[in-house]
Amino acid sequence: MNMSRDRLSMGLPRCLAVLLLYAAATPAAAPAGEPAVSPEFPPLSESRVVEHHMGKVIWTELVTPNLAASQAFYSGLFGWTFREMRAGESDYGIAEANGRSIGGVVQRAIAPGEQKQSNWLTFIAVRDTDAAKHEVLARGGKVLAEPTTYRGRGRQAVFSDPDGAAFAVIASSSGDSRDFLAAPGEWIWSSLLAQDPKGSAKFYKRVFGYDVFDLPSDDGFEHVVLSTEGYARAGIHSLPADSVRRHSHWINFVRVIDATQAASKATALGGRVLVEPHVDRHGGRVALLADPNGARFGVMEWTAADSKAEPK
């Protein structure tokens, strides 16, 4: 994964909206003392060797009011294919790229006038979801969806950090995907745009055990890299003063061959360009896009000179 991301000017809905959308689309946990009843999800890792990579982003999940339209958009843009299933009372699709499962798409209707919108949720690997909950609460975060076990997937929960950025954790029952360079069409990087990057870095370090590296900056903004096991896992960057909304939030990036071409294609498919393609701090081009239902995501080029090793 790359180590330094350019600043992006945009905003996501408040963490409460994320919670309401996600909770309404996710099967509820069984009452205490009763066996859990949940749909059977495919495993996150199909490797014969079980690996665990604390702090690695291993899954993303889109909550959308129109499953078919979302699938058509991402299929047209990235070539993703989908396997459909039922998740409780919701329709659910498993997104696949290059023969691998890379994320989920869950349908949840949004009533007229509701202050919510479609959103991608970032899942970070942990070994113990309940221990992560304890650390989150101890460091000033909040629980948005309580730890719940899902058959075939593992135990997951949704939290928000002290600045309100929503994220999820998951202790995968099949282990985590191995470390490899993402191919075009796959998620390659995740960034947190934060009001207080150094304060946020302290929070995530305590929750996930990250090594934290400050990057040199000539743009007046703070840039931090979070790493484990010698790999850069995610970045934290100052939230631009001209951002539409002043809320800290996570954004995930898909690797593409040509960011300009991807942005043009997204527009043709009914999406929007929120931040035009531009050269990032690492030398490649990135852009911030939104799908037809408003879910934000980034696209990023990757060159042979880029490295996912942690900074020295």
Side-chain angles (χ1 to χ4, degrees), residues 9 35 52 65 80 126 132 141 172 175 267 287:
S9 172
H52 293 283
W80 292 355
V126 295
S172 171
T267 301

XYZ file of all heavy atoms in Angstrom, residues 9 35 52 65 80 126 132 141 172 175 267 287:
82
model
N -10.676 17.463 -0.656
C -11.691 18.341 -0.091
C -13.075 17.748 -0.287
O -13.644 17.812 -1.366
C -11.630 19.716 -0.768
O -12.709 20.519 -0.358
N -29.045 -18.759 20.929
C -28.044 -18.950 19.891
C -28.172 -17.871 18.819
O -29.270 -17.444 18.473
C -28.378 -20.332 19.317
C -29.818 -20.548 19.665
C -30.024 -19.867 20.975
N -3.100 -13.550 10.227
C -3.756 -12.443 10.901
C -2.859 -11.217 10.808
O -1.672 -11.285 11.131
C -4.048 -12.788 12.369
C -5.074 -13.873 12.536
N -6.430 -13.645 12.384
C -4.942 -15.191 12.829
C -7.089 -14.770 12.581
N -6.212 -15.735 12.857
N -29.319 2.388 -1.314
C -30.764 2.190 -1.463
C -31.135 1.403 -2.716
O -32.286 1.011 -2.885
C -31.298 3.629 -1.548
C -30.169 4.388 -2.160
C -28.922 3.767 -1.595
N -16.091 -5.186 -11.723
C -16.449 -6.081 -10.636
C -17.614 -6.983 -11.040
O -18.495 -6.599 -11.807
C -16.864 -5.293 -9.397
C -15.758 -4.521 -8.740
C -14.427 -4.526 -9.060
C -15.895 -3.612 -7.638
N -13.736 -3.690 -8.239
C -14.602 -3.113 -7.349
C -16.976 -3.186 -6.878
C -14.376 -2.195 -6.317
C -16.749 -2.267 -5.854
C -15.462 -1.789 -5.583
N -8.774 -7.111 13.420
C -8.368 -7.264 14.815
C -8.367 -8.751 15.138
O -8.936 -9.561 14.416
C -9.314 -6.519 15.787
C -9.254 -5.019 15.568
C -10.752 -7.028 15.653
N -11.099 -4.846 21.275
C -11.048 -3.593 20.520
C -12.114 -2.626 21.026
O -11.865 -1.418 21.157
C -11.240 -3.872 19.032
N -13.707 6.849 22.105
C -14.544 6.525 20.970
C -15.920 6.058 21.403
O -16.242 6.031 22.602
N -11.684 -11.943 11.715
C -12.094 -12.893 10.685
C -11.907 -14.324 11.159
O -10.833 -14.705 11.624
C -11.276 -12.658 9.408
O -11.506 -13.685 8.472
N -9.271 -15.933 8.924
C -8.001 -15.241 8.797
C -8.120 -14.056 7.849
O -9.165 -13.800 7.252
N -18.397 9.422 -14.506
C -19.394 10.423 -14.873
C -20.359 9.873 -15.911
O -21.584 10.063 -15.819
C -18.707 11.683 -15.415
O -17.828 12.213 -14.410
C -19.731 12.746 -15.784
N -8.069 10.755 -7.704
C -9.296 11.541 -7.843
C -10.288 11.039 -6.807
O -10.217 9.886 -6.364
C -9.878 11.405 -9.251
